[in-house]
Amino acid sequence: MKRFKSVLAIAVVAAMTLSVAACSKSDSNDKKKHSKKNSDNLEISFETESVSENSNLAEETVEETGDLNQTYYDYVANAIIPEIGLSDVDSSLIMAFGSGNFHQQSDFQPKLGLLSADVRDYNGDGVLDLVTYSLSDMPSASTSTGVVMAERWNGYADNFLSVTARFYTFENGVVTFKNQVDSITEMSGDSIGTLIYGVYDDEGSVFIYGSCNTETPETYGPRKTNIYHVEGDSFVFDATQGFYGFGQASVDGDPNVIAGTAGVDFAPTAMGTALTHVNVNVFEDSSVDCNGSVLGGVKVGYYESMNDVEIKLYDLSLLRSVLNSGIGELAARAPMPVFEAPTNIVPEAEANALVDRVTASTGVAFNFDGVTLIDGGGSLLTYSSASNVSLKIRYSADGKLQIIDSTYKSTSPCEDWYTVKDAVFTDAQLAIDPSLYSTFLGHCEWNQMSQSNDNVSITVARMDDCFWTIRFN
């Protein structure tokens, strides 16, 4: 798989200890120092240390029944649930909102604890493993969002409602705790929205994803996805993408560099396609494409007014059915959905030819900055001039031109931005109807209504920066 070259609509995660993001590939009691280099070739060092668990949970001996599935669920019932509790999913909870972290209020406490459990060969060694997913009240510093916002921007700093993943395997005749990620996804205590998590088997490799989509009463909040897999006895943080911030404030930089992830680009893989299908509708509609992949989640929404919220918890792992009626209940789980990786055509020659025509017409030379493959298919080719005018050309997965845009990061455009705009609008091979761009030529007026027909839409505007966009329908 290719590494991320850039990420669309991303702000970030942070370099974190294993208790935050499980970057470690070490055994459970090892402590090692790792380093990665960012795009400026600056080395970022961070320490990873695996989490030890309460000994009565991590080392309790269980009698193997001959069915490792049964052994794991017996362990869940006899060791894990007595320790952390089983979250109440039987009914929704309606409670007051806006008076502190909703998940710290006494009415919410029965919702904390073990939410889902999943048995499969997570690390590919031929032995079934157990991963549990639990809800907890997590300090900000132990979540990816909290660490990044505290370090890079003054965001939400109180505790979060968090989904913690714990990895167990069977060795030397006992179920043994190995590793955990404190927060594969999380929600701030002043937010509404959704948490959703699950697994996807991409050609025999099992990946874990945790996503959130949140907003506060005033504005929107983090909307991001983290991806992990298990290697040996430890979680590995493969990638992160999405928006890390509150309102219009976000954090600059490549989140995969800052977080110390493996930086894997899932866009051209079946995993990338799968993530485009994951949505919370699966909680209440078993026909949704991602059914069989999602394991559980949380949904928090306003109830009748903004003074109250309704909270629903969902477990699609069938944990409670197994605890009540035995492992035969697992036969009712939907099969893992199968998605094919997109055939992603990248028309680099076509994009370069357009840029060359612009340069010949204007004298403005552009550097080719690279290609970003888009999850689910498609590509974005990015160029920049010495005068800091950007030119971005986006294609669909099948190579059709979708969008051309240009940005100059100033409220006062430079002359190159004007001339590049005019050269693209009037490019003979693009064959855009002149009536759509005539009012936008030269030193045009700003924030006009977009001009469009059935084939093309054009916008020219100035806000925090100057930009124009051509969208091909």
Side-chain angles (χ1 to χ4, degrees):
M1 295 181 183
K2 298 178 181 178
R3 292 188 177 274
F4 278 109
K5 295 179 180 177
S6 62
V7 181
L8 295 177
I10 286 188
V12 259
V13 194
M16 15 186 164
T17 60
L18 179 61
S19 63
V20 177
C23 299
S24 174
K25 298 184 182 180
S26 64
D27 291 335
S28 59
N29 292 319
D30 292 343
K31 184 174 182 179
K32 298 183 178 181
K33 192 169 185 179
H34 305 269
S35 66
K36 293 183 181 291
K37 292 186 177 180
N38 67 9
S39 58
D40 296 321
N41 212 37
L42 297 177
E43 190 169 85
I44 299 173
S45 298
F46 56 93
E47 291 185 347
T48 63
E49 183 174 11
S50 40
V51 181
S52 62
E53 184 139 301
N54 208 334
S55 59
N56 70 329
L57 222 104
E59 300 176 0
E60 179 175 325
T61 301
V62 295
E63 182 179 350
E64 186 174 6
T65 64
D67 185 330
L68 204 48
N69 265 293
Q70 185 66 60
T71 298
Y72 281 130
Y73 283 100
D74 287 345
Y75 183 79
V76 168
N78 299 326
I80 295 178
I81 292 176
E83 180 74 19
I84 67 173
L86 183 65
S87 60
D88 175 17
V89 302
D90 291 335
S91 60
S92 63
L93 174 64
I94 299 169
M95 59 191 305
F97 186 61
S99 56
N101 290 338
F102 66 84
H103 55 272
Q104 291 180 327
Q105 298 180 39
S106 59
D107 288 349
F108 190 84
Q109 298 310 298
K111 300 292 185 183
L112 299 177
L114 182 64
L115 184 50
S116 302
D118 184 54
V119 176
R120 68 184 72 225
D121 182 6
Y122 269 86
N123 59 6
D125 65 356
V127 177
L128 291 177
D129 308 298
L130 167 68
V131 174
T132 62
Y133 301 86
S134 56
L135 290 180
S136 61
D137 177 35
M138 186 64 60
S140 171
S142 294
T143 69
S144 58
T145 300
V147 169
V148 172
M149 301 314 290
E151 186 171 307
R152 301 276 177 158
W153 180 72
N154 185 23
Y156 190 83
D158 211 337
N159 283 19
F160 286 75
L161 176 65
S162 170
V163 177
T164 295
R166 295 184 176 92
F167 173 71
Y168 303 80
T169 195
F170 192 82
E171 63 181 21
N172 300 321
V174 297
V175 176
T176 305
F177 167 79
K178 288 294 186 180
N179 202 218
Q180 80 179 48
V181 183
D182 280 354
S183 182
I184 61 171
T185 189
E186 65 276 335
M187 177 187 298
S188 65
D190 66 344
S191 295
I192 62 168
T194 56
L195 305 179
I196 188 169
Y197 57 87
V199 295
Y200 185 73
D201 188 332
D202 191 342
E203 299 182 358
S205 298
V206 177
F207 294 95
I208 302 166
Y209 57 84
S211 296
C212 64
N213 189 331
T214 67
E215 59 185 78
T216 71
E218 294 82 21
T219 188
Y220 48 84
R223 301 175 179 185
K224 46 96 174 183
T225 298
N226 291 339
I227 305 172
Y228 305 84
H229 75 276
V230 179
E231 187 171 309
D233 292 334
S234 297
F235 290 101
V236 175
F237 195 10
D238 290 299
T240 185
Q241 57 186 358
F243 173 77
Y244 281 75
F246 288 85
Q248 296 186 17
S250 60
V251 180
D252 292 332
D254 182 341
N256 292 280
V257 171
I258 296 173
T261 72
V264 179
D265 182 0
F266 288 94
T269 70
M271 174 67 183
T273 305
L275 288 178
T276 67
H277 291 258
V278 172
N279 68 79
V280 296
N281 291 337
V282 72
F283 291 154
E284 296 166 357
D285 180 0
S286 61
S287 68
V288 174
D289 286 345
C290 58
N291 187 29
S293 170
V294 175
L295 293 174
V298 179
K299 191 174 182 179
V300 180
Y302 290 120
Y303 182 77
E304 295 185 348
S305 74
M306 294 178 67
N307 297 320
D308 299 298
V309 290
E310 182 177 24
I311 301 166
K312 296 181 179 180
L313 271 55
Y314 300 88
D315 170 40
L316 303 188
S317 73
L318 301 185
L319 168 62
R320 287 150 188 80
S321 298
V322 172
L323 294 177
N324 291 330
S325 304
I327 61 173
E329 294 294 310
L330 293 175
R333 280 195 62 178
M336 179 69 65
V338 177
F339 300 106
E340 292 185 5
T343 302
N344 208 56
I345 299 171
V346 182
E348 190 167 331
E350 177 184 318
N352 288 339
L354 170 59
V355 174
D356 287 345
R357 295 196 302 273
V358 171
T359 296
S361 172
T362 65
V364 179
F366 285 88
N367 293 318
F368 177 53
D369 298 327
V371 179
T372 299
L373 297 179
I374 300 165
D375 279 354
S379 56
L380 180 73
L381 293 90
T382 305
Y383 305 80
S384 59
S385 73
S387 53
N388 296 319
V389 175
S390 73
L391 194 58
K392 298 179 180 179
I393 307 173
R394 175 168 172 168
Y395 293 90
S396 64
D398 56 2
K400 292 182 179 179
L401 180 61
Q402 291 182 314
I403 298 171
I404 306 173
D405 69 48
S406 177
T407 301
Y408 183 70
K409 292 188 175 301
S410 169
T411 56
S412 300
C414 65
E415 194 63 32
D416 283 356
W417 183 86
Y418 284 118
T419 58
V420 168
K421 168 177 60 66
D422 292 357
V424 175
F425 287 176
T426 58
D427 181 75
Q429 292 193 35
L430 293 179
I432 300 172
D433 183 345
S435 67
L436 298 181
Y437 59 72
S438 59
T439 60
F440 292 126
L441 293 178
H443 290 215
C444 59
E445 294 296 326
W446 297 100
N447 301 318
Q448 301 179 48
M449 293 292 293
S450 297
Q451 301 295 317
S452 63
N453 58 23
D454 290 341
N455 300 314
V456 180
S457 174
I458 298 178
T459 301
V460 178
R462 175 166 57 189
M463 289 185 285
D464 294 335
D465 48 33
C466 307
F467 67 91
W468 57 260
T469 301
I470 307 172
R471 183 178 298 273
F472 298 88
N473 300 326

